[in-house]
Amino acid sequence: MGAGRFGHNHLRVLLKLERKGLCKLAGVAVKTDKHRQELMRQHSIPIFNRLSTKLLQSVDGVDITTPTPTHFSLVKSILRHTNILVEKPIALNSNQIAIIKKVSRKSGKKVMVGHIYHFHPLVRRLRSIIQPMGVPHFISARFLYPEVKKIKWDALFELLHPFDIVEYLFGLVPRGGIRTNHNNWISTSIFYPRKIKGVFDIGFHRSEKVRTLTFHFKNISVHCDFAKNIIEIVKGKKTKTISCPSKPEPLQLELETFLKILRKEHQTYPDIALAQKIITGMEKIRSFRTNRKPKIAVIGGGIFGATAAIELGKLGQVHLFEKRSSLMEEASFVNQYRHHMGYHYPRSKETVQESQEARPVFEDVFGKAVVRHFPSFYCVSHLKSKISAKKYLTFCRTNHLPFVRSYPPHNLLDRKKVSLCIKTNEPIYDYQKLKKIVETHMKRRKTISLHLNSRVDKGFLGQDGKKYLWVTKKGREYKMPFDFVVNATYARMNAFAHWFDFPLKPLRMDLVELVVIRLPIPAIALTIMDGAFPTLVTTGEPSLFTLGHVRTSLRKSFVPSDGLVPEWKLPKSNWKKIVSECQNWFPILRFAEHVESRFVIRAVNAYREHDDARPSDIIRHGFGCWSILGGKVITAAATANSIAKELKQILDSSNFSS
């Protein structure tokens, strides 16, 4: 039954099976004369506008591929006479399935539900791979299909595949969860038994089909891409890729199973009980319940956390927690204050594009902190550079980065060491002015409560969706509930993931020494590209500069398996060696006066040495939680806007408490 896309596909395979002698096709039932005429022109088989009782009683089974809202009524009426294969979902709620179950029991007829991923070669291969691994602690899925005309029924039930696959692999269905509706697609945060959590995005949202499923175990993640028919097993920096066959096609295996059921051959198949189990579990995923002005926690008072608090203060009551006595005292302070336009990342188009898109958003909020009107030079080394002069020029032109070919004075740069030098107008930001602007915004926003000297030690996710944080201040510990939490602790971001049992983000931890020097020259910035080379940048204060070297400023570096910040002791300053190494490029450094050395633990995406990408990542944990890995300060405002937009979407989809 049915002449849509699914119906035509089922008919194609059934005709193939008929040619093999596995079945006899009695006919096709369609709703309209138009479809009837089309099928009659294409096939020499009986085409019906309706199914009579006599016809139903004369066949062994009916294959229903009609639109989802018709499934319940058709199954209920046909099941009295014959066996059925029906496309999923069998019905749109568990009450309807219970009625079908009674009809099946009374008539003695069987119903097979078209949970087609039970027959997918990738899923069957996956089952054998993950069985020895036990159960994952977190599951993420994205089943998003090209936009269609808005459907009038629940897209979550229409595309229940991820729930079906999880049940097939582990026998588990949701025991609770939160859903957010976005037009034709739904994002879900799911509580499974055995403390397993899941985040599924399902529906009609993209121009291309995306079907991915990832299982996170303790030290391994297993990623499945159904569009590419591959399974990737990721452990640290090693990835093992397994290609799965696409033949025989899942639909053929499904229909062959139905034919075996009709022949009364013993078969395990997706039946009414399974369909009822899955739908009942999915019904427990409900809209978030919160106040109209929710309580929001932001952990970390650096530039990213502070900017997020300012933006989120428009939506609710924000509590910003900072363990130090003042804002912006760590990575926001130990920084070269470069207002990135893109010149610095010739091997990462992603970082360049992100910086360019974020620039006007940042300047709209913090523009008064931007310092211009000084020359910023980028040079390409003659030797051991990862990019040639020619390619660097092409990179600048391709990305519309303005420049002129020019050199600074001889006493500032050893020209013999470089094959190219360009002069740009890339600014910096004044740290003190930026901090003052942040503090002014915080004071004006009455919905923000700033908690300084307050350390968040742990967290817990309640079944009601509330996030509970344990905060220590002046030796006393407080437990505080929140509707939403933004984690902006930078290098310490994975501690948050440990608290809530979210997947860890692979990070490389770098202990970096940044040298502050005084020089008798005007404001300038000098950077050698692209490798283990130096950079000298004005701070905006007269004669004061920051100096770093890719190799000698890096004191320690490694990727911790637990994702946590190592307990490194602060080393002795290496400033003399750093200055000496940089002086080979910048002769003026023989006049450098050492002011201080600043140390910071820098966190970057692990295993990205090939392109040195430094995007600002938003990790969407689900359950009303986000983490920010700030790549570049220039992206702070755009990142805050993105999270605020997502949170507003959740609020628009929520049920509000009275």
Side-chain angles (χ1 to χ4, degrees), residues 129 153 175 209 252 314 419 475 517 542 624 637 640:
I129 290 171
W153 55 95
R175 59 183 176 86
K209 189 184 291 187
Q252 181 176 330
K314 301 173 185 177
S419 56
I517 59 173

Side-chain angles (χ1 to χ4, degrees), residues 36 99 102 105 151 155 292 465 503 505 508 546:
R36 183 170 179 269
I99 293 170
K102 287 181 181 178
R105 195 181 301 121
I151 60 174
R292 292 188 182 276
K505 185 172 181 62
R508 190 187 79 222
T546 56

